[in-house]
Amino acid sequence: MKRHTGQDKDKTSRWRLETQLVRGGTWRSELGETSEAMFMTSGYAYDCAEDAAARFAGDQEGYTYSRLRNPTAAMFEDRMALIEGAEVARSTATGMAAITHAMLSVVKAGDHVVSSRALFGSCRWVVETLLPRFGVESTLVDGTDNEAWKAAVRPNTTAFFLETPANPTLDVVDLQFVCDLAHENGALVVVDNVFATPVLQKPLQFGADIVAYSATKHIDGQGRVLGGCILTSEKILEEHVLPLIRNTGPNISPFNAWVMLKGLETLDMRVNKMCDNAEKVARALEDMNGFDWVRHPSLASFAQRDLALKQMSRGGTILAVQLPGGREQAFKFLNSLEIVDISNNIGDAKSLMTHPASTTHASVAEEARLELGITEGMLRLSVGLEHPDDLIEDLQQAADKAGVTG
Ligand SMILES: *Cc1c(COP(=O)(O)O)cnc(C)c1O
């Protein structure tokens, strides 16, 4: 392998985001390929037995086995670390593998976790159901209520977990407050930053200790492959994350890591364009005057707008609405869409809409769902890259057919 400027951290850390997204972390082989090489290999051969021994001893640079590191996955990890401003990153097969391993790496039996209750369904299951099975207690709080975080801390609290903005309610957690509180109490903070993306929000700057992503969403951005990433400091990686993942093996496939590298090249462009579209669509939905509410952090009517825009450079690509006619009207609306797909994925180039109460949050008990504000009339829209006027026309005709307007 030839060294490439993409690997020179002193230089790449001074590059602007757009350059980092295209060139950060790149290694180039002797062949000089412009597109990153895909190393579909599980193992590595050594020139001699002494080299193998030296590499295992850590005295020689190089790869030993793809569960420990793979060159294509490493390029994805190095690029992710660079854009997030993290010291290090490790990639995983899915977003849930990233979040589960991040959480498991910072707790042991007897510990206690405080978490916001507005979470992606599987994240909530990890905190509420999986961790207690292994003797880790958890308390779920209203993440928007700083006093609730404070009140939940116990002497054995070792980790905080949160998602902001949260899926699908767009609840915003005060990152600076919660990170400061955790550190005063000797706890580490793990943030699921999927909704915000690394383009719009960098939780490490507010003190978060670990940031986890589902790369399946905006990072791939074209609905093709699953992947995830854990970003943190060298110290936390060595002490907490590596001992776990080197042995449990949640690795991403080199093929999927390569797809993610291609996705990152256009991440800034796509996320900003999707934010433009989301802002226009949110305003148009509000103007239709038939919804109970329209929620997007860019709207003047968004209750936590100031906090959201203090932490995020823009309002994001996802919005939520509530229809007055409950599930029946929400389904009628979805079934009338001609461009927007009925789909529970997010971050895709294609606009996707879902009814959280019957899909992503169907497994959350009804009472807990209502506590979160996930009502029967609520729909979530992940805004894509289509022309915003086509999206607005499609949503307008669906609103008309469902009897939301007029
Ligand atoms: C999708 C998602 C996840 C899980 O990611 P997978 O890649 O599907 O495993 C976690 N958190 C949030 C907020 C998500 O949207």
Side-chain angles (χ1 to χ4, degrees):
M1 292 282 260
K2 284 207 290 201
R3 260 194 186 277
H4 181 265
T5 1
Q7 281 287 324
D8 184 340
K9 270 197 182 169
D10 284 342
K11 288 190 176 145
T12 57
S13 60
R14 291 201 300 270
W15 288 348
R16 282 103 186 146
L17 176 67
E18 293 88 329
T19 312
Q20 292 177 335
L21 284 166
V22 175
R23 295 184 172 272
T26 303
W27 279 92
R28 211 164 248 175
S29 82
E30 289 72 6
L31 299 175
E33 68 283 351
T34 48
S35 178
E36 296 75 4
M38 195 197 303
F39 291 91
M40 288 301 295
T41 184
S42 44
Y44 305 84
Y46 311 89
D47 287 342
C48 58
E50 288 77 5
D51 277 2
R55 227 173 275 181
F56 269 80
D59 298 335
Q60 187 184 83
E61 214 183 316
Y63 295 88
T64 54
Y65 188 59
S66 283
R67 171 154 42 74
L68 307 181
R69 262 207 133 177
N70 168 278
T72 309
M75 282 192 264
F76 171 48
E77 291 157 1
D78 291 348
R79 188 173 296 174
M80 282 296 295
L82 195 61
I83 64 169
E84 192 69 37
E87 287 175 7
V88 282
R90 284 296 182 275
S91 51
T92 56
T94 65
M96 282 320 304
I99 284 152
T100 306
H101 281 83
M103 290 309 295
L104 290 177
S105 70
V106 294
V107 294
K108 59 180 187 322
D111 288 349
H112 172 246
V113 172
V114 185
S115 168
S116 54
R117 67 189 182 197
L119 298 174
F120 183 74
S122 295
C123 294
R124 184 157 167 150
W125 182 85
V126 167
V127 173
E128 200 174 25
T129 307
L130 182 70
L131 294 183
R133 267 194 213 166
F134 298 95
V136 179
E137 288 178 303
S138 57
T139 306
L140 295 179
V141 298
D142 173 358
T144 65
D145 180 356
N146 288 349
E147 290 308 310
W149 285 95
K150 230 184 207 170
V153 176
R154 298 183 195 165
N156 58 339
T157 303
T158 53
F160 281 20
F161 178 65
L162 64 99
E163 184 184 315
T164 183
N167 176 32
T169 55
L170 305 176
D171 280 356
V172 178
V173 178
D174 186 337
L175 281 170
Q176 190 70 59
F177 176 87
V178 171
C179 292
D180 287 349
L181 177 70
H183 296 155
E184 280 160 26
N185 290 281
L188 296 175
V189 182
V190 180
V191 176
D192 175 344
N193 203 40
V194 170
F195 265 46
T197 82
V199 173
L200 304 178
Q201 176 172 276
K202 299 200 190 315
L204 297 176
Q205 291 177 349
F206 297 92
D209 300 285
I210 301 180
V211 175
Y213 284 102
S214 166
T216 315
K217 312 296 169 55
H218 304 78
I219 291 170
D220 169 25
Q222 287 150 87
R224 299 165 294 191
V225 298
L226 301 171
C229 195
I230 300 171
L231 297 120
T232 187
S233 65
E234 238 159 276
K235 182 169 182 283
I236 291 174
L237 185 82
E238 293 292 335
E239 282 178 18
H240 296 277
V241 180
L242 276 188
L244 181 69
I245 66 172
R246 287 168 67 93
N247 294 299
T248 56
N251 307 58
I252 195 170
S253 151
F255 176 79
N256 291 1
W258 179 83
V259 173
M260 296 305 180
L261 280 162
K262 299 292 104 185
L264 283 175
E265 291 179 352
T266 56
L267 182 69
D268 179 69
M269 289 169 58
R270 284 185 288 104
V271 168
N272 275 299
K273 176 71 176 152
M274 286 154 94
C275 285
D276 290 343
N277 288 355
E279 288 163 16
K280 286 182 185 145
V281 169
R283 264 183 275 128
L285 288 168
E286 239 180 14
D287 288 345
M288 287 180 203
N289 275 325
F291 297 97
D292 292 339
W293 47 254
V294 179
R295 221 176 272 165
H296 186 261
S298 69
L299 293 172
S301 58
F302 188 76
Q304 293 181 290
R305 185 170 189 271
D306 290 348
L307 176 61
L309 296 182
K310 188 183 125 200
Q311 302 179 167
M312 299 168 72
S313 56
R314 303 189 65 177
T317 69
I318 293 150
L319 53 91
V321 293
Q322 181 172 282
L323 289 76
R327 180 180 291 219
E328 196 186 335
Q329 193 177 39
F331 277 24
K332 207 162 179 189
F333 184 96
L334 285 176
N335 293 338
S336 303
L337 293 167
E338 292 172 357
I339 295 175
V340 177
D341 289 310
I342 305 171
S343 174
N344 48 283
N345 201 4
I346 59 162
D348 198 304
K350 295 182 171 65
S351 293
L352 308 173
M353 201 162 198
T354 195
H355 180 248
S358 62
T359 59
T360 55
H361 290 72
S363 65
V364 178
E366 195 185 347
E367 200 184 293
R369 229 172 26 230
L370 291 175
E371 187 183 60
L372 292 174
I374 303 171
T375 59
E376 289 293 324
M378 179 190 189
L379 294 174
R380 183 192 75 190
L381 174 63
S382 170
V383 181
L385 294 172
E386 302 93 339
H387 195 289
D389 293 346
D390 288 326
L391 295 175
I392 291 164
E393 284 167 23
D394 192 29
L395 295 161
Q396 177 75 64
Q397 65 82 27
D400 292 341
K401 281 188 189 143
V404 176
T405 40

